[in-house]
Amino acid sequence: MRTFEYVRATDTQEVVRMLAEDPSASCLAGGTTQLDLMKDGVLEPPTLIDITRLPLHGIERRGESLHVGALATMEELAADSTVAERLPVVREALLLGASVQLRNMATIGGNLLQRTRCRYFRDPAVLECNKRAPGTGCAAVQGAARMHAVLGVNENCIALHASDLAVALVALDAVVHIQGLSGRRTVPLTEFYVTADESPERENVLEHAELITEVEIPLPPPSARSGYLKVRDRVSYEFALTSAAVVLVVEDGTIRQARVGLGGVGSKPWRAYEAEHVLTGAPATSATFQDASEATMRDAWTVPGTAFKVPLARRTLVRELQTVSGVTA
């Protein structure tokens, strides 16, 4: 790891100003991704700004939405009473997303901004990486690609977005609040991320001199049921091969509302609008769930190492739709 200047900040606007003045500076919160990338030599910021003392902590319910400070930890959000009561999909995604030790360190803002887990991106010795060095190619397309994406990708990049929490939040229509030099703005999380087939080198719309300050999560109707299923190679401390976040309102055997997010398959947390279109207004049956899963994966782009993810993602979604709805036949 290269030497760097360490700065501790206490004012949000001050951090924004420092970032604007130094395009190579970087922020440090929980550090669970940032420090790994610095140790790997992928990131080498000459200045590291510690933002942990900014007034961006806290979790507050306001009416039918939950407002989460960007510096609240994963463990704090998982323990929140509103999350337990109204947002089981979020709680399950958090608990399955990391060990207790990491959840006590990792922040919500940092989790949403975590970089890809692509082994080629994280190895500076690999020269072919359009995400790290645009125009050089994608080593993963011809290499071992078991942990890579099949949606929102092409031959230029198949890097995967690894956040479990973000999958649940895109299904819930969460919104991120952002502060920059020119003031504040809000961006729906479904519009926050950039797919690899659009721009491999860019993962989201956040500008350098901007900070996520808060995440706003609309609460689903009290009658809604939700859950998160994560399929992985081992039970703990492992990233998803596939995952599904499901929020349903079922009345008299008919699906009145459906929200679906997919993980482990997309270059961004994937909102499965095609599945929602099939589900909404349809009977809650396994046949409907199968149709929804097939619609979702229709446009998958695979290489030999990722082809298995298409049927696995379909089965994952069907299983979680069955679990949340209570319909198994």
Side-chain angles (χ1 to χ4, degrees):
M1 183 188 295
R2 285 182 54 181
T3 58
F4 56 88
E5 179 184 6
Y6 173 81
V7 179
R8 177 174 285 170
T10 58
D11 180 77
T12 304
Q13 197 58 36
E14 175 193 7
V15 174
V16 171
R17 178 186 56 78
M18 293 171 66
L19 290 171
E21 293 175 353
D22 185 356
S24 59
S26 187
C27 292
L28 174 69
T32 55
T33 292
Q34 177 77 25
L35 294 180
D36 283 348
L37 292 173
M38 291 174 66
K39 291 175 182 178
D40 291 339
V42 176
L43 297 181
E44 296 180 330
T47 303
L48 200 58
I49 306 169
D50 185 339
I51 63 172
T52 55
R53 295 194 178 186
L54 297 186
L56 304 178
H57 298 265
I59 302 168
E60 180 184 0
R61 178 173 175 177
R62 302 174 195 165
E64 287 300 291
S65 64
L66 192 67
H67 293 254
V68 183
L71 292 176
T73 67
M74 293 174 66
E75 186 66 15
E76 288 170 340
L77 185 57
D80 182 80
S81 59
T82 299
V83 171
E85 178 188 356
R86 298 285 296 276
L87 297 168
V89 63
V90 170
R91 176 175 168 79
E92 292 169 12
L94 287 163
L95 296 180
L96 292 170
S99 65
V100 175
Q101 294 89 341
L102 285 175
R103 294 200 303 269
N104 277 312
M105 289 292 296
T107 63
I108 299 305
N111 184 281
L112 298 185
L113 292 173
Q114 66 178 283
R115 304 299 302 275
T116 179
R117 295 290 165 172
C118 174
R119 61 188 292 185
Y120 305 99
F121 168 76
R122 288 173 176 258
D123 184 355
V126 176
L127 301 181
E128 295 179 328
C129 179
N130 285 324
K131 185 172 289 294
R132 193 170 5 93
T136 59
C138 178
V141 170
Q142 299 297 327
R146 179 174 174 79
M147 300 303 296
H148 287 71
V150 298
L151 295 173
V153 296
N154 58 23
E155 67 278 0
N156 293 318
C157 182
I158 58 173
L160 175 75
H161 194 282
S163 172
D164 291 288
L165 173 62
V167 175
L169 294 184
V170 297
L172 290 163
D173 290 317
V175 174
V176 289
H177 294 243
I178 298 169
Q179 183 168 332
L181 280 176
S182 58
R184 300 184 179 185
R185 64 183 178 123
T186 59
V187 180
L189 201 60
T190 51
E191 300 174 12
F192 181 73
Y193 295 102
V194 179
T195 57
D197 58 359
E198 295 176 13
S199 179
E201 71 278 9
R202 186 165 192 177
E203 296 174 359
N204 56 64
V205 301
L206 195 71
E207 301 294 341
H208 176 71
E210 288 186 321
L211 287 177
I212 293 178
T213 58
E214 182 181 277
V215 180
E216 181 180 349
I217 311 173
L219 299 177
S223 61
R225 297 183 61 186
S226 68
Y228 185 76
L229 175 62
K230 180 176 182 177
V231 177
R232 46 191 169 173
D233 283 326
R234 57 184 180 183
V235 173
S236 64
Y237 202 67
E238 184 63 280
F239 297 100
L241 292 172
T242 60
S243 68
V246 171
V247 185
L248 295 178
V249 174
V250 180
E251 297 176 356
D252 299 323
T254 299
I255 303 168
R256 301 303 181 188
Q257 293 184 30
R259 299 289 183 269
V260 178
L262 298 177
V265 293
S267 59
K268 68 176 185 178
W270 202 261
R271 179 68 177 267
Y273 292 110
E274 299 87 352
E276 294 175 6
H277 178 73
V278 172
L279 293 166
T280 304
T285 64
S286 289
T288 298
F289 302 158
Q290 185 64 43
D291 289 343
S293 73
E294 291 176 359
T296 297
M297 302 305 296
R298 192 167 292 142
D299 295 326
W301 193 92
T302 67
V303 297
T306 61
F308 79 98
K309 286 198 169 189
V310 175
L312 182 60
R314 290 173 181 156
R315 292 195 296 269
T316 302
L317 178 54
V318 169
R319 174 65 65 84
E320 190 58 8
L321 286 167
Q322 290 173 331
T323 299
V324 171
S325 68
V327 175
T328 59

